[in-house]
Amino acid sequence: MSFTATKFSHSLLAVPINSSTPRSNDKPLSFSSDLFKHNASSSSFLGSTQKLLRLNARRSPPPVAAVLLQQTSNLLITKEEGLVLYEDMVLGRSFEDKCAEMYYRGKMFGFVHLYNGQEAVSTGFIKYLRKEDCIVSTYRDHVHALSKGVPSREVMSELFGKATGCCRGQGGSMHMFSKEHNVLGGFAFIGEGIPVATGAAFSMKYKREVLNQADSDNVTLAFFGDGTCNNGQFFECLNMAALWKLPIVFVVENNLWAIGMSHLRATSDPEIWKKGPAFGMPGVHVDGMDVLKVREVAKEAIDRARRGEGPSLVECETYRFRGHSLADPDELRNPAEKQHYAGRDPITALKKYLFENKLATEQELKAIDKKIDEVLEEAVDFAEKSPAPARSQLLENVFADPKGFGIGPDGRYRCEDPKFTEGTAHV
Amino acid sequence: MLGVIRNKNLLRPSFSAFRHLSSSAKQMTVRDALNSALDEEMSADPKVFLMGEEVGEYQGAYKISKGLLEKYGPERVLDTPITEAGFTGIGVGAAYYGLKPVVEFMTFNFSMQAIDHIINSAAKSNYMSAGQINVPIVFRGPNGAAAGVGAQHSHCYASWYGSCPGLKVLAPYSSEDARGLLKAAIRDPDPVVFLENELLYGESFPVSAEVLDSSFCLPIGKAKIEREGKDVTITAFSKMVGFALKAAETLEKEGISAEVINLRSIRPLDRATINASVRKTNRLVTVEEGFPQHGVGAEICASVIEESFGYLDAPVERIAGADVPMPYAANLERLAVPQIEDIVRAAKRACHRSVPMAATA
């Protein structure tokens, strides 16, 4: 398979991936080059609503060059890879289902945004990363953290607001951090994480070129949604990442809906991938309900960034199976649209591929399902039994060096002192 | 959007006798102090880099980064596009991942476009990550009123940033402050908001050999008593320290001994020094250019009332900018920011030596 990234010319900047691979999926994949030939009922692109039909009718064919993927083997993955992908996707799905259960039982609180339906994106991209590579996420961040290797029990415990959480209960659902796994945060504002991710990529380049750390070839992934692609920080960072050739991949999880605002109602040109070529980087559209396709694109984009050839923009068209958050009544999305995407469940699709290509047996997958169930039972049990943060923890970690901020003579925060007003909260 | 302001050198105070520096001191401008501090810290630590609009080839909108591009190259003196939200966030992300960025705002007024990254991405991360991700970054640039630039370019953000946990906020006055505090800010492991003043850049101050040494550094969170006195305490920061010292000279001629505290650090605030001084003088005047409501002066007053209420012999006096967006007309602009005579009058009121407030209005 070739991305032609190393020598792309202007005419090749726009790179819709076309696949000659026989698909096990029920429908032929519709990458952007054949997008315009399909009507909404046979296309996965940009939903299946009437609005889309009107919109498509207006469009003229895009000036893009199709690059054919050349397969060296008939299979996209090995058995081992297939099982890893399957396990990660099942973990993501089951973890989120467990979150919903725990939320309704009052074990977690606030805003909880679940990832169901989008697993192919997290798994397809993050499972191709090294541990040293960074990810920056949004408020829908649990599954990104899990894919990157943060243990389920630590994420669950964080959501329960316990001291054993990955951020000791100080971050919460929308703010997953793990220095060990290079999860540089979930960011709760639209567009906020993109510059931070770009900055991490800047550091990687700086370490290589200024600090002469030749082995610094790490890559950053920035995850964000379709709604973010109308925000200025997205454009600002596409520009600077391309200008400075930073090792980053901008991964758009286009689930077609920004809370209750349809992507088609919010964006003048809904094909987000086109904004890549506009800034001088490859823009790719991929079926975000197909983990193997996502993984192929991820490989190209990540390898390209690692080789120092600069950023890419990848639009993964996906769908969330639940509302925006657990507080969202989800009344605006058409039931037919939801059903259409439910029929394209990425886990079912991978399962089918594994079976059809004799990469896994029913028993093997069932064993994985069972293992995940056990992991999550253990995670909930761990979170449940963990202690709430101690009172003294309230004022810790505001600063790395808190001298002058209410530190008592013994070097500890004076949170027990009733007269304590030195720059932090009264306890 | 921006006119680069020539330094007007509006202030030429002559109160160097009050500074506690060696008599053989050299003179240095605040601009050179900032430039040398940046230079030395970049030279000492290759992880330190400067980014912002016009910091490189233009040598800085106010020439603070003069010569640094030539010395350290475009990888470490990074001209950015005009994208405050974007480049500030990039700076923060670089700090997350092991570098020590110095982000220059052409003026702090423009930091409004990036305040999300200063507050949400920089200030809160160490806490949200339970200490896993600290953010060693400096946000610096001229803050507050310049001259004749109107409301959008004349806003003091000391109390805004000063109210946010997770930030350290510094406001230098003299060349000594500028050098010592900027070097401390760059070395600090936490995000520091460094509020300079455009009208002070061209001003010269005497500096001792100690201040000129490359190891020189000032502690964050410590105020400096610029002038000792016994009758009234005047707190000020940045340009207002000069005004307070001028006022103290006038007051001295009238037999009032004023103690002038240069806050240096807005957050942490050196409550101990302020309260010790008030316990000695029993009177307090706070001075700032920012707006009065929820201002730095308000916080100082609260601290003194909480900790030293019994020592006060007069109501505290707060001098602040007028509670209006900055007008353009020169006469109105002058009325909108504190003047030396305002400080003198307030100090005299505090010392019960003047007519009641209503008569002076």
Side-chain angles (χ1 to χ4, degrees):
Chain A
M1 144 173 185
S2 160
F3 202 51
T4 66
T6 51
K7 50 181 184 297
F8 66 77
S9 63
H10 261 293
S11 64
L12 279 175
L13 273 176
V15 190
I17 299 290
N18 200 350
S19 173
S20 56
T21 316
R23 305 301 308 178
S24 57
N25 219 326
D26 53 340
K27 292 188 186 94
L29 274 161
S30 56
F31 284 111
S32 40
S33 60
D34 56 353
L35 162 71
F36 302 99
K37 296 173 198 146
H38 293 283
N39 64 26
S41 65
S42 67
S43 170
S44 67
F45 193 80
L46 297 176
S48 55
T49 63
Q50 290 302 309
K51 276 179 207 142
L52 177 75
L53 291 173
R54 287 205 308 276
L55 208 124
N56 270 343
R58 280 210 308 272
R59 285 201 200 114
S60 55
V64 294
V67 177
L68 294 181
L69 305 179
Q70 290 145 17
Q71 290 306 135
T72 49
S73 134
N74 283 332
L75 294 180
L76 290 164
I77 40 169
T78 64
K79 179 185 176 78
E80 289 68 31
E81 286 168 340
L83 294 179
V84 167
L85 298 181
Y86 180 79
E87 180 171 334
D88 192 56
M89 289 171 78
V90 171
L91 172 66
R93 175 74 55 89
S94 310
F95 186 92
E96 297 292 64
D97 287 341
K98 192 57 93 179
C99 285
E101 186 189 331
M102 292 298 130
Y103 178 84
Y104 292 122
R105 280 169 54 185
K107 298 291 181 189
M108 47 184 80
F109 17 85
F111 297 133
V112 177
H113 308 82
L114 302 185
Y115 196 75
N116 299 48
Q118 303 183 196
E119 295 86 355
V121 183
S122 180
T123 301
F125 266 92
I126 297 176
K127 284 294 155 194
Y128 189 67
L129 291 179
R130 301 176 185 160
K131 191 173 183 183
E132 299 74 32
D133 294 327
C134 286
I135 61 162
V136 175
S137 181
T138 65
Y139 44 80
R140 203 179 301 286
D141 57 353
H142 312 162
V143 175
H144 294 142
L146 294 173
S147 291
K148 195 68 174 56
V150 183
S152 309
R153 47 162 36 198
E154 289 182 22
V155 179
M156 189 64 81
S157 186
E158 183 66 23
L159 293 167
F160 274 53
K162 297 297 183 73
T164 54
C166 58
C167 299
R168 305 202 306 165
Q170 291 170 209
S173 169
M174 299 186 278
H175 304 297
M176 293 292 160
F177 292 85
S178 170
K179 190 168 182 123
E180 182 192 347
H181 297 96
N182 288 301
V183 177
L184 296 189
F187 288 81
F189 291 4
I190 293 301
E192 196 184 26
I194 300 177
V196 173
T198 310
F202 176 86
S203 285
M204 290 158 177
K205 186 179 156 92
Y206 189 98
K207 283 177 182 175
R208 194 171 59 240
E209 294 181 2
V210 178
L211 304 181
N212 298 318
Q213 297 174 7
D215 57 344
S216 174
D217 62 349
N218 301 328
V219 170
T220 301
L221 300 185
F223 290 92
F224 49 93
D226 44 291
T228 305
C229 297
N230 300 316
N231 179 292
Q233 297 188 60
F234 170 61
F235 298 101
E236 294 180 20
C237 289
L238 285 187
N239 176 49
M240 284 184 275
L243 183 68
W244 298 330
K245 263 185 141 181
L246 302 181
I248 183 167
V249 184
F250 299 98
V251 185
V252 186
E253 296 181 312
N254 181 359
N255 61 23
L256 310 176
W257 289 86
I259 308 186
M261 179 69 154
S262 158
H263 179 52
L264 301 176
R265 282 209 303 132
T267 308
S268 58
D269 182 349
E271 289 175 84
I272 297 165
W273 63 272
K274 282 184 181 170
K275 280 149 192 162
F279 285 92
M281 70 177 77
V284 185
H285 174 256
V286 64
D287 181 358
M289 304 303 266
D290 184 329
V291 68
L292 301 180
K293 281 229 158 89
V294 171
R295 187 177 161 91
E296 288 307 302
V297 172
K299 276 183 183 173
E300 291 294 342
I302 292 167
D303 289 348
R304 174 180 141 80
R306 209 182 295 291
R307 289 191 302 264
E309 290 165 15
S312 310
L313 173 66
V314 180
E315 176 185 3
C316 305
E317 190 184 321
T318 182
Y319 202 74
R320 58 174 152 77
F321 289 169
R322 289 174 178 269
H324 167 71
S325 74
L326 286 173
D328 174 18
D330 193 19
E331 289 161 341
L332 289 168
R333 297 191 303 172
N334 185 335
E337 179 185 294
K338 291 189 212 178
Q339 205 172 353
H340 167 72
Y341 283 100
R344 303 207 57 234
D345 187 319
I347 297 181
T348 312
L350 176 64
K351 230 174 176 173
K352 200 168 169 209
Y353 184 89
L354 294 175
F355 289 156
E356 283 181 358
N357 293 288
K358 310 233 172 336
L359 289 167
T361 64
E362 186 96 34
Q363 271 164 327
E364 283 171 310
L365 299 194
K366 281 218 169 104
I368 289 174
D369 295 347
K370 187 162 174 287
K371 176 181 158 196
I372 296 298
D373 283 345
E374 285 165 9
V375 164
L376 293 180
E377 286 306 320
E378 195 277 335
V380 167
D381 190 52
F382 173 76
E384 196 100 67
K385 288 182 178 148
S386 291
R391 191 173 185 272
S392 61
Q393 198 186 306
L394 174 67
L395 301 182
E396 290 176 3
N397 304 128
V398 180
F399 294 96
D401 177 7
K403 277 198 295 289
F405 287 92
I407 304 299
D410 56 355
R412 295 166 61 97
Y413 282 88
R414 290 167 47 204
C415 63
E416 305 292 329
D417 180 350
K419 283 179 72 184
F420 171 65
T421 56
E422 307 231 336
T424 38
H426 230 309
V427 179
Chain B
M1 178 158 95
L2 175 100
V4 174
I5 313 304
R6 297 272 170 270
N7 194 287
K8 295 205 168 65
N9 290 329
L10 292 182
L11 293 172
R12 280 270 170 230
S14 55
F15 39 76
S16 54
F18 299 122
R19 250 176 245 114
H20 302 234
L21 296 167
S22 76
S23 53
S24 63
K26 262 182 67 175
Q27 294 281 317
M28 183 182 231
T29 62
V30 170
R31 175 178 287 111
D32 289 343
L34 293 168
N35 179 272
S36 62
L38 277 170
D39 188 358
E40 287 165 19
E41 294 307 304
M42 287 181 77
S43 156
D45 185 351
K47 291 197 192 78
V48 179
F49 70 98
L50 177 67
M51 69 190 300
E53 293 155 9
E54 309 290 4
V55 298
E57 296 194 0
Y58 197 84
Q59 310 286 317
Y62 296 97
K63 309 300 173 199
I64 302 301
S65 53
K66 193 172 180 189
L68 298 181
L69 174 68
E70 197 184 356
K71 196 160 172 188
Y72 298 105
E75 297 83 12
R76 295 186 65 197
V77 182
L78 198 70
D79 276 324
T80 65
I82 307 168
T83 63
E84 270 78 13
F87 74 70
T88 304
I90 288 176
V92 172
Y96 275 27
Y97 205 66
L99 300 184
K100 300 177 102 180
V102 178
V103 172
E104 175 172 312
F105 292 117
M106 201 180 277
T107 101
F108 252 94
N109 298 281
F110 301 165
S111 77
M112 291 299 93
Q113 301 216 340
I115 196 165
D116 175 43
H117 286 293
I118 301 173
I119 305 292
N120 278 313
S121 310
K124 296 179 183 172
S125 300
N126 198 67
Y127 192 83
M128 290 197 301
S129 70
Q132 294 177 81
I133 310 274
N134 71 306
V135 190
I137 188 169
V138 178
F139 306 103
R140 54 154 290 272
N143 168 64
V149 293
Q152 290 192 344
H153 280 67
S154 307
H155 192 147
C156 173
Y157 291 99
S159 67
W160 286 47
Y161 292 115
S163 78
C164 184
L167 289 179
K168 296 173 179 176
V169 182
L170 305 178
Y173 159 61
S174 64
S175 300
E176 172 186 328
D177 293 359
R179 254 181 78 75
L181 293 176
L182 184 54
K183 288 161 80 73
I186 294 171
R187 293 176 198 181
D188 198 87
D190 291 307
V192 178
V193 170
F194 194 83
L195 304 169
E196 299 159 11
N197 189 299
E198 181 204 322
L199 298 175
L200 292 174
Y201 282 154
E203 190 147 336
S204 288
F205 291 86
V207 281
S208 65
E210 185 203 352
V211 170
L212 290 173
D213 192 276
S214 68
S215 67
F216 179 67
C217 200
L218 286 171
I220 290 176
K222 283 276 165 231
K224 179 188 179 192
I225 295 177
E226 289 280 349
R227 175 192 168 114
E228 287 191 31
K230 58 182 175 45
D231 296 330
V232 59
T233 297
I234 304 175
T235 66
F237 59 94
S238 190
K239 195 181 99 181
M240 287 297 116
V241 176
F243 278 28
L245 288 168
K246 272 283 208 196
E249 276 184 70
T250 306
L251 289 166
E252 189 179 36
K253 288 180 194 136
E254 302 190 27
I256 295 175
S257 161
E259 178 145 303
V260 176
I261 298 179
N262 171 4
L263 295 176
R264 280 182 168 169
S265 174
I266 307 298
R267 180 182 182 86
L269 190 60
D270 189 351
R271 287 155 209 266
T273 297
I274 295 165
N275 277 284
S277 176
V278 170
R279 287 175 187 214
K280 180 174 73 174
T281 64
N282 311 111
R283 292 172 176 85
L284 171 67
V285 176
T286 72
V287 189
E288 71 192 295
E289 280 189 307
F291 300 130
Q293 190 164 330
H294 313 300
V296 175
E299 181 62 29
I300 291 172
C301 291
S303 169
V304 166
I305 286 166
E306 283 173 337
E307 295 182 40
S308 309
F309 182 70
Y311 292 85
L312 285 171
D313 283 350
V316 293
E317 293 272 355
R318 260 195 302 164
I319 301 176
D323 206 5
V324 296
M326 185 66 76
Y328 166 71
N331 64 326
L332 296 181
E333 186 188 68
R334 188 175 190 282
L335 286 169
V337 290
Q339 302 298 331
I340 294 164
E341 53 269 30
D342 298 322
I343 305 172
V344 170
R345 210 162 43 233
K348 281 159 81 175
R349 266 200 309 269
C351 294
H352 303 297
R353 292 194 183 196
S354 106
V355 287
M357 240 173 156
T360 64

